């Protein structure tokens, strides 16, 4: 018999590590961008090809990893994890910190209904970013995964058809982080 609690917590740990990887790439891209427009401009210009190549590569890797993390079609994604947690909520034994209890008994088990409410709320939080996620997947599908003929000759067209602002990515990342932190606190802490 499968131990669903263990299986889902291991799966969650992998998702958290994937998020941390994406976040570290994002922070490096932000740092390189700051260098290109700050006091470090001389150092940046000395290695501009390398830095631009690194930003390009990190940006694409980040885009691909975000697509994997937010896809409904992936067998292993945050959305899949939430959907599975919803159907297996009774077996996951979610609990939260409760300061009002005596020392040594600081955790309060959530009812199945309470935990399902948390998950449904998190699915709604992700849904708020539906357009951003669709644009991430559009860019991946049209330019990175396939050489779509409509974008092959005009690489700027993909940015018009699937616009993404840094703020959109940042907000999506914050939502993902919030969801993973909450699930970590309910299942692993």
């Amino acid at each position: 018999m499968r131990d669903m609690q263990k299986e889902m917590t291991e799966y969650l740990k992998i998702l958290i590590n994937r998020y941390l990887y994406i976040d570290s790439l994002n922070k490096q891209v932000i740092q390189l961008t700051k260098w290109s427009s700050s006091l470090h401009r001389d150092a940046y210009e000395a290695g501009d090809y390398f830095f631009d190549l690194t930003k390009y590569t990190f940006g694409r890797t980040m885009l691909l990893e975000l697509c994997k993390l937010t896809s409904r079609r992936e067998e292993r994604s945050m959305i899949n994890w939430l959907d599975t947690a919803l159907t297996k909520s009774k077996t996951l034994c979610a609990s939260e910190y409760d300061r009002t209890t005596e020392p040594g008994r600081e955790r309060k088990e959530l009812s199945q209904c309470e935990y399902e409410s948390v998950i449904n709320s998190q699915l709604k939080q992700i849904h708020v970013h539906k357009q951003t996620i669709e644009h991430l997947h559009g860019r991946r599908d049209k330019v990175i995964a396939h050489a779509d003929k409509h974008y092959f000759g005009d690489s700027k067209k993909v940015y018009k058809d699937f616009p993404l602002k840094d703020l959109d990515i940042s907000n999506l990342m914050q939502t993902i982080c919030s969801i993973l932190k909450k699930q970590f606190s309910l299942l692993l802490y």
Side-chain angles (χ1 to χ4, degrees), residues 26-131:
N26 188 42
K27 287 177 180 169
Q28 291 301 313
V29 169
I30 290 168
Q31 187 62 45
L32 287 171
T33 303
K34 285 180 183 176
W35 284 2
S36 68
S37 61
S38 71
L39 300 172
H40 304 287
R41 184 78 186 151
D42 292 340
Y44 188 87
E45 287 175 357
D48 64 344
Y49 179 76
F50 171 76
F51 290 129
D52 289 342
L53 180 63
T54 301
K55 280 174 47 177
Y56 176 81
T57 304
F58 283 9
R60 280 195 166 208
T61 302
M62 202 173 93
L63 184 137
L64 288 170
E65 291 295 327
L66 269 174
C67 285
K68 288 179 2 185
L69 198 59
T70 59
S71 177
R72 279 215 171 270
R73 296 185 314 216
E74 291 287 331
E75 288 182 24
R76 293 292 190 200
S77 71
M78 188 179 70
I79 308 287
N80 171 267
W81 190 93
L82 289 168
D83 289 341
T84 304
L86 193 58
T87 62
K88 306 291 184 189
S89 61
K90 188 173 185 174
T91 62
L92 294 181
C93 304
S95 64
E96 62 186 354
Y97 179 73
D98 184 3
R99 293 187 293 204
T100 63
T101 61
E102 60 190 66
R105 299 194 54 137
E106 292 93 13
R107 308 264 329 150
K108 178 187 106 180
E109 193 167 320
L110 295 180
S111 71
Q112 182 179 358
C113 185
E114 289 172 317
Y115 187 49
E116 287 175 358
S117 176
V118 169
I119 296 168
N120 282 321
S121 172
Q122 292 175 333
L123 286 166
K124 288 176 185 170
Q125 291 171 30
I126 285 292
H127 187 73
V128 167
H129 301 283
K130 183 179 184 219
Q131 186 176 35

Side-chain angles (χ1 to χ4, degrees), residues 115-184:
Y115 187 49
E116 287 175 358
S117 176
V118 169
I119 296 168
N120 282 321
S121 172
Q122 292 175 333
L123 286 166
K124 288 176 185 170
Q125 291 171 30
I126 285 292
H127 187 73
V128 167
H129 301 283
K130 183 179 184 219
Q131 186 176 35
T132 300
I133 292 169
E134 287 174 354
H135 287 187
L136 282 167
H137 289 254
R139 283 191 187 184
R140 178 203 60 193
D141 295 344
K142 301 297 183 186
V143 178
I144 298 174
H146 310 285
D148 191 290
K149 67 181 178 181
H150 299 291
Y151 301 99
F152 189 76
D154 183 8
S155 61
K156 293 185 191 307
K157 187 174 181 343
V158 75
Y159 299 107
K160 292 176 194 163
D161 292 349
F162 303 103
L164 287 170
K165 296 177 184 153
D166 290 342
L167 184 60
D168 297 333
I169 300 294
S170 177
N171 289 339
L172 176 60
M173 292 284 290
Q174 286 175 2
T175 298
I176 292 169
C177 182
S178 170
I179 290 169
L180 293 173
K181 277 183 179 179
K182 181 67 173 178
Q183 289 298 335
F184 177 85

Side-chain angles (χ1 to χ4, degrees), residues 5-18:
Q5 174 81 20
K6 183 176 181 186
E7 189 176 313
M8 289 297 285
T9 55
E10 290 302 316
Y11 183 1
L12 180 60
K13 288 177 188 177
I14 291 168
L15 293 175
I16 290 169
N17 286 331
R18 285 172 71 187

